[in-house]
Amino acid sequence: MAGHTDNEITIAAPMELVWNMTNDIENWPRLFSEYASVEVLDRTDDKVTFRLTMHPDADGKVWSWVSERVADPVTRTVRAQRVETGPFQYMNIVWEYAETAEGVVMRWTQDFAMKPDAPVDDAWMTDNINRNSRTQMALIRDRIEQAASERRTASALAD
């Protein structure tokens, strides 16, 4: 059995701001609460290979892995996969962005399978990813909307 998650959130901010902030990988430790650091290993055109390192978990374990991410600014999609899969047999992620009257809908779809010897199974990881995605998406929404508000204020003061 494989795992699948599909989560989305609407961000009341311009597309360019949402796209730029969520694809600025070097700033992910300030955008996400779970990442301690990001190290870009290679960058060519719209493809980035990078190492993500999380903050220690409740047991003090630090998780880290290498991912590849290809952003397509024309279609406003991003496709990513883990290169170092760790406990996953595979992990594929798609981010999609769509403009609406309320703002930008950011959608994350993840397809994965856990290795047979992984400490958790696909169902557990599906629940964990769904819970964590909702938390991170809300945090990202709040941080981007705050940045949009600050830009509007700065623009109004400049006028």
Side-chain angles (χ1 to χ4, degrees), residues 4-5 12-14 26 38 54 60 63 67-68 77 85-86 96-98 103 107-108 117 123 134 140 145 149 153:
H4 173 81
T5 64
E26 289 88 349
V38 176
M54 298 183 79
W63 296 92
S67 289
E68 263 179 10
T77 57
T85 58
E96 298 170 290
Y97 302 78
R107 180 180 179 200
W108 296 348
D117 62 346
R134 290 181 200 111
I140 289 166
E145 288 179 354
S149 175
T153 300

Side-chain angles (χ1 to χ4, degrees), residues 3-139:
H4 173 81
T5 64
D6 190 338
N7 293 280
E8 67 179 44
I9 196 163
T10 300
I11 303 170
M15 174 64 85
E16 286 303 315
L17 182 62
V18 175
W19 177 262
N20 290 337
M21 286 185 71
T22 59
N23 286 291
D24 182 0
I25 294 169
E26 289 88 349
N27 281 309
W28 277 8
R30 288 179 285 289
L31 190 62
F32 291 79
S33 64
E34 62 189 341
Y35 300 138
S37 66
V38 176
E39 177 189 3
V40 173
L41 304 173
D42 188 49
R43 186 185 304 266
T44 55
D45 300 321
D46 291 322
K47 179 179 172 185
V48 181
T49 304
F50 57 99
R51 173 172 297 284
L52 275 175
T53 302
M54 298 183 79
H55 294 290
D57 66 16
D59 297 324
K61 173 131 175 77
V62 175
W63 296 92
S64 180
W65 63 90
V66 173
S67 289
E68 263 179 10
R69 185 174 167 84
V70 179
D72 184 343
V74 174
T75 63
R76 297 295 190 196
T77 57
V78 178
R79 297 193 179 282
Q81 65 181 6
R82 282 192 180 199
V83 176
E84 289 179 3
T85 58
F88 294 92
Q89 285 180 1
Y90 64 89
M91 166 63 86
N92 298 314
I93 306 168
V94 177
W95 289 25
E96 298 170 290
Y97 302 78
E99 284 187 284
T100 69
E102 294 78 34
V104 176
V105 175
M106 181 177 68
R107 180 180 179 200
W108 296 348
T109 307
Q110 294 172 276
D111 290 292
F112 60 91
M114 303 306 296
K115 291 179 179 173
D117 62 346
V120 299
D121 63 12
D122 293 339
W124 186 96
M125 187 55 74
T126 298
D127 289 342
N128 185 63
I129 289 172
N130 276 325
R131 188 173 43 258
N132 190 55
S133 291
R134 290 181 200 111
T135 298
Q136 294 304 314
M137 287 177 132
L139 179 62

